[in-house]
Amino acid sequence: MKLFKTMLLAGAATALAAPALAQDGGGVSDDAVKIGMLLDMSGPYSALDGQGSVVAVQMAIDEMGGEIDGKTIELMTADHQNKADIGSNLARQWSDQNNIDLILGGANSGVGIALQEVTSEKNIAYINNGAATAALTNENCAPETGLHWTYDTDALANGTAVAMVKEGNDSWYFITADYAFGHKLEENAMEAVKANGGTVTGNVRAPFPTQDFSSFLLQAQGSGAKVIGLANAGTDTQNSVKQAQEFGIVQGGQKVASLLLFLTDVEALGLDAAQGLTLTTGFYWDQDDKAREWSAKFEEKHGAKPTMVQAGMYSSALNYLKAVKETGTDEAKAVVAKLKEMPIEDAFSRNGRVREDGLMVHDMFLAQVKTPDESEGKWDYYNIVRTIPGDDAFRSLEDGSCAAVKG
């Protein structure tokens, strides 16, 4: 299989001026299906995304035999460094110079929104797995070419926040990552808390990324709220959970709710610090036999169990390639239209389907982090509390705000 070299940028890339090569709507352009991955390879989301996502997509390519009807599948990767301008410039470069067919990634909501704008303009298929903002299929939707696959802020809020309010944890204070992802997650979680009879006592915005959460945690502690909601992710989540434990916040009677927690966060924190955290996830390696089998193969290649982002990368790449094979073309709109006709059922997805607005609706899982005594070993970190059907987890199409499907 032909493999493009990895591109790692130290600074902002410069878009090339050459026009994109046109796709004629039939057949595979350039005799190759070209996939580009824009990832966090070195920053706060690198453990949950990064090289593990590359491994997952390569597994999907290998599953297809490395080619489609004799046309090779080529892979490019680059680090967006959590900067929208770098991500946008790379996407334009790949379009103008390499005639890219699909871009995957953007595990940062600001980057994800920027990539969706570029790919829509350039008629490139785009599937986001790491960014959480529901804006990707609402106010910033691009449903003819852009899909949102693994989870979004609505699904996270409708799992964790709703479950905790129903258990009597009905007053909340939010510590929020101060960029598009955190803002949207906070907004959706606040809506969920209030809709279920809870109250919000206040919030504070923390710069992204942040090492020291002490002042933010002290404000949350002083609010008297029953729950401190963390609308952040990656190393920000790890730092805030560790410091909450150091300050004795949980011992003082308040609960900490991580609205976006990954398996790699629990591994980094340790069960002593993470035990009891409630979370919502789109995938857990031990959820059933199909997930266990695929995750074992992933671990052999990567040395760790997959996060939901990495499993979502595999799923989205595999189903994209199946749609290319079914349609006989890599033209973006034709492939995305085919994906909307296909059931999405694989190692990652249960009862999945791609909706008109570009959202891949699938079952989510409410989970709780195990105590050290409950865990049987490394990566055995979650108890699945219940399955949340996709239609309950995600905002309905009718309640969404994607103008392209509202008519």
Side-chain angles (χ1 to χ4, degrees), residues 300-315:
E300 286 177 7
K301 296 176 182 295
H302 187 55
K305 294 295 188 189
T307 65
M308 65 169 160
V309 168
Q310 292 157 351
M313 285 284 194
Y314 160 81
S315 172

Side-chain angles (χ1 to χ4, degrees), residues 1-161:
M1 192 199 97
K2 184 178 179 183
L3 183 68
F4 278 26
K5 68 179 180 179
T6 297
M7 301 170 64
L8 298 175
L9 270 67
T14 301
L16 300 183
L21 297 174
Q23 293 174 314
D24 61 10
V28 171
S29 59
D30 294 350
D31 287 330
V33 179
K34 299 179 182 178
I35 300 173
M37 300 183 70
L38 287 169
L39 310 164
D40 182 345
M41 300 294 287
S42 56
Y45 302 148
S46 57
L48 63 93
D49 182 31
Q51 187 59 36
S53 288
V54 179
V55 169
V57 171
Q58 187 62 57
M59 289 174 69
I61 292 171
D62 292 345
E63 194 168 322
M64 296 295 292
E67 63 178 33
I68 296 175
D69 296 333
K71 311 298 184 182
T72 59
I73 303 169
E74 300 175 356
L75 184 63
M76 302 174 68
T77 66
D79 188 347
H80 57 59
Q81 299 179 45
N82 289 290
K83 296 178 180 177
D85 59 343
I86 291 179
S88 295
N89 286 335
L90 280 165
R92 291 184 184 280
Q93 177 179 320
W94 284 352
S95 171
D96 295 344
Q97 187 175 28
N98 303 111
N99 198 23
I100 203 80
D101 298 307
L102 167 69
I103 291 179
L104 293 167
N108 171 302
S109 290
V111 176
I113 290 169
L115 290 178
Q116 186 148 284
E117 290 175 355
V118 172
T119 51
S120 176
E121 172 195 335
K122 296 287 190 178
N123 192 35
I124 298 167
Y126 174 58
I127 307 178
N128 191 293
N129 283 285
T133 179
L136 285 165
T137 53
N138 286 280
E139 58 265 35
N140 295 107
C141 69
E144 289 189 313
T145 55
L147 306 181
H148 200 182
W149 204 265
T150 306
Y151 59 92
D152 72 5
T153 49
D154 284 314
L156 299 172
N158 287 333
T160 306

Side-chain angles (χ1 to χ4, degrees), residues 112-356:
I113 290 169
L115 290 178
Q116 186 148 284
E117 290 175 355
V118 172
T119 51
S120 176
E121 172 195 335
K122 296 287 190 178
N123 192 35
I124 298 167
Y126 174 58
I127 307 178
N128 191 293
N129 283 285
T133 179
L136 285 165
T137 53
N138 286 280
E139 58 265 35
N140 295 107
C141 69
E144 289 189 313
T145 55
L147 306 181
H148 200 182
W149 204 265
T150 306
Y151 59 92
D152 72 5
T153 49
D154 284 314
L156 299 172
N158 287 333
T160 306
V162 171
M164 293 191 72
V165 172
K166 288 184 176 179
E167 291 172 355
N169 303 295
D170 55 3
S171 61
W172 287 59
Y173 187 97
F174 289 90
I175 299 175
T176 302
D178 194 11
Y179 79 104
F181 150 67
H183 299 171
K184 196 67 176 179
L185 183 53
E186 178 193 78
E187 176 189 330
N188 293 150
M190 284 183 174
E191 289 174 356
V193 168
K194 293 173 182 177
N196 286 273
T199 59
V200 176
T201 65
N203 68 309
V204 63
R205 301 279 172 84
F208 169 77
T210 298
Q211 295 293 323
D212 184 3
F213 280 85
S214 56
S215 65
F216 310 121
L217 286 165
L218 289 172
Q219 290 178 64
Q221 189 175 37
S223 74
K226 293 179 182 178
V227 181
I228 299 172
L230 302 178
N232 54 22
T235 56
D236 277 3
T237 296
Q238 295 168 27
N239 290 332
S240 47
V241 170
K242 284 178 183 176
Q243 290 163 34
Q245 184 186 48
E246 291 167 3
F247 291 166
I249 286 175
V250 175
Q251 296 90 325
Q254 289 174 297
K255 293 187 176 181
V256 176
S258 177
L259 294 166
L260 181 52
L261 191 73
F262 293 91
L263 196 67
T264 45
D265 297 324
V266 179
E267 170 67 9
L269 286 164
L271 289 178
D272 282 334
Q275 62 181 306
L277 285 173
T278 298
L279 65 134
T280 303
T281 184
F283 175 85
Y284 179 49
W285 69 268
D286 200 25
Q287 68 195 37
D288 57 27
D289 288 342
K290 191 183 294 187
R292 280 188 286 273
E293 181 181 357
W294 181 80
S295 298
K297 295 176 183 177
F298 177 91
E299 187 177 15
E300 286 177 7
K301 296 176 182 295
H302 187 55
K305 294 295 188 189
T307 65
M308 65 169 160
V309 168
Q310 292 157 351
M313 285 284 194
Y314 160 81
S315 172
S316 59
L318 181 66
N319 284 281
Y320 169 85
L321 292 171
K322 287 180 177 179
V324 170
K325 185 174 180 63
E326 285 288 317
T327 57
T329 181
D330 55 10
E331 196 279 321
K333 291 176 183 176
V335 178
V336 168
K338 173 55 68 173
L339 281 165
K340 292 177 181 178
E341 299 173 0
M342 296 165 49
I344 309 298
E345 191 76 26
D346 51 38
F348 164 79
S349 174
R350 301 294 171 273
N351 302 307
R353 71 184 192 282
V354 180
R355 222 166 55 180
E356 294 172 58

